[in-house]
Amino acid sequence: MRSRPRYIIGRDSQLLEIKHALTEAKGGRGGVVFLVGEAGIGKSRLAAEAVGMAFNDGMRALRGRSSTTGPTVPFRPLTEALMALFRGGPPGGPSLDDLPLGPYRPALGRIIPDWSSDAQDNSSMVILGEAVLRLLIATGREDGQLLLLEDLHDADPETLAVVEYLVDNLEYTNVVLLATIRTESCDALDMAESARRRGVGTVLQLAPLTRPEVRAVIAAQLDTEAELVPEAALARLWDDSAGSPFLVEELLQGMIGSGALVRAEDGWRVVGDLRSDVSTALARGILRRVDRLAPQGLTLLSAAAVIGRRFPLTVLQRMTGIDDRSLLSHLHAGVAAQLVVHDEPAPDWYAFRHSLTAEALLTQLTPTNRAEMSGRAADAVQDLYPELEGEWCPLVAELRSQAGDEAEAGRLFTVAGLRALSAGAIGSAVTLLGRAERLLAASGDAAGRTAALEALLPALAEAGDFAQAFGFAENLHTLGGSGLSAERLAALHTRLAKVAHTAGRWEDGNRQIAQARALLGVHPDERSTASIDVTAAYLALDTPGPDRTQLAEKLAYSALQAAERHGLPTVVCQAWELLATLARERDFDEATALLESALHTAEQHQLPLQRMYALTRIGGNNWLTEGNTIPLLAARGEAQRLGSATIVYTIDGIMILDAVLRAEFAAAAQASEECLAVVQRLRLAPATRYVLMARATLAAHQGDRADMERALTAFAEWDGSGSQEEPLTRGLARAFCALMEEDRSAAVRELHAVAELESTNPSTYYLSGRYGIGLLLDVLSGEAGRGPFEEIAATAPGRMRWNRQFVLFAGAVLDGREGRPDLAAAAVNEALRTAEPYATALHLCLRLIAEAAHADGWGEPVAWLRRAELHFHQQSVAPVANACRAALRRMGAPVAQRRTGSGSIPDVLRTQGVTVREYEVFRLLAERLGNKDIADRLYISPRTVEKHIASLGTKTGRSNRAALCALSASLRDTT
């Protein structure tokens, strides 16, 4: 019987796809292929065939595999694959040190140990992805290169971030990325499906073999013709394997080993009972082959299984004490028996052919034997690699756990988690630190558990897992009697306070701060108070009160001074970032300088999270001052690749509001709906409030009061009262909605309410109208003159792009009123350039200033009104469009009649013959306005309003005005 089939069965179409991708890459058109299927379906075998095809075509193949046992390690498969470039001298040409990688070379130190340094780069995952891409291109021969990443379902989040970048950028290279993924819910499978939908990757689903294909596999294994396969054996293997080629082969070996299937002179015959439990039969079949390797072979492979699916020979030899000759002899026998394979490209590593092989070997170990062998394996690794760099640390932690040494395992998982966190690998950090905390809690090591929690809590906050983080707060008191110092306990309370701030739970956060201060007593040391003060500063800024900005600034300065004295770079960055937020009201240059200092400190001390925060705030400043979203989107990409859900959704909220302000209403509506579902599920209160505020603004800018009120009701339910977002709900939503209804007095009242809110609860959000639309309305009404204008125009918020458009239009009105038409025209031109991204605001301003310009004899009021009328007509904002037409009539300009918009009339009214104009009157009846007020809102005469109401009564069968008002209100609430 042959030990393996001569060819791969049932995968012809997949082989053709892979061959096509390799051929395309040789021609300079790279690609991405995902092999997706359940365990044992043949992914690895097909991938190995792809490697052979690449070699036959003269292509280099780089291979890496994610860990299938033990904890995940950041970048593990990429490191394994790329390290092949460093073996055997220069890869077909110049030295790797001479490759044209430019500034991207330092970033590769995170993946390639040979290029790491003490000043290791912690640049974004985008930069790292580009660095990997350039390395692949630079090392590729003219015939191209295959990058094979196996078991991507077990990959860490950081590896997936780099792979995702490669997926989007391999098209115009000579590189093929081939990845294998199991058909189980995981991020890797989601990424593959996303690539398929976007047309940047091919997903090859490996279905179970058909019955004829199973027959062919059996025939190949038995070295016979397909028609000579015993039907009973075929039936049993077809039923038990479910079409899995691995199970077919393993169960077939079990049948032969048990004597149930034997070779006779006339071919293979069934002579025994073929029925057995599949898992038991599989394990027995594997163990029978191991038994043939002699007792020492069994011991050797059992020891290897304890290490994991992959195992290094140096560790295995140190662990077992076996001599070189015996070691290699048994390994070669294992390869011949299809139990293990040489784990290319790692020179010292072997791997079990399938994870089920390792599992079967572990079944024959008693718990005591396994624990004892795990301890020996851990000792061997620590003897050989005492620093436990890279993947050695989590591997030894797992082995110590299996050996029953929970305290040491927890300590090592903490070390691995801290390393992942310092590298910006939040997803891996949460996994490793969570494991550490559980082990240390079980072992009763309070000090070790505290160390793990100090790192785990902020990592959970960044990942958006607040439920788990706050779960620790409930039993934190249990650590109080365990001999921990007051400083350690205070640090934990401070971490929880920071988590509470991130979640928007300022009351919980302040309670944690109070507990931390109480623990430290009346004479605390500065190192402890620095962290407490900076966290308290962030909470103070969110806690309602008239002095919150002053208190936050005082606390931040105190924290900064102490942190600089004691060398606490994280606290320094946090303090500068908060002070920069407060400095925006005075001077954006000052704010940006502070953020640049924070960024420099974060990069100098390798603090990827603080670097991300600084980049986010710098991007926010760019958005506010110039309306430029590119830096903000770059920061979002950084946050996404680091795994910071809180920052990703914070930036998403800003982008939704930006879309609203740009009048991209459909995109804003879809994005807000998607984002809101996530942030509400995560209980991210600040992000939820911001998105709801943006949704209210979206409705308001379209004149949809009912939808606005629904969003604002939801906003209030998320602790909106007293929040920093509350003034925006007045200025950007309610005031604008009133202007869309042509109710300026209501808009002014809302803006006065903004001023009152900000006097009792100062905000660091400056788009609420006080520095923009409010100034323009006050100038138009005569409430504000040159003095207030100059005062606001000189402020930093007044120079923000959204506010600046209103300030410039207000200046134009004043110039025209003061008899300087040329200056007024110039100001309007500058305002139009500033307002160019903001269609609704731009046309609203033209509508607002036109009548003042006409009265004072400057500008082009008729042209402005026509332009505004067309815009608001197209946007179905009838009150403003009507106002523009009425103003044109008063100026003696011809007005085009527009009677479109019947689609907005509810069916119940349209079928009764209600016209567009009558419906406009009908809608205002819900507010129970008088005829004159309705006439003023619609720019028609009171007599015309009276006629429309009479007609509405006749058509709807409502005999009196009160009944019409009630009908209007009821229909408004349901539309």
Side-chain angles (χ1 to χ4, degrees), residues 10-19 46 204-206:
R11 306 299 184 212
D12 291 348
S13 63
Q14 290 87 352
L15 286 169
L16 285 174
E17 287 279 1
I18 294 171
K19 179 64 176 177
L46 198 56
L204 302 181
Q205 294 279 354
L206 301 189

Side-chain angles (χ1 to χ4, degrees), residues 274-286:
L274 298 175
R275 283 183 279 182
S276 63
D277 177 72
V278 175
S279 59
T280 302
L282 183 60
R284 287 175 179 170
I286 292 172

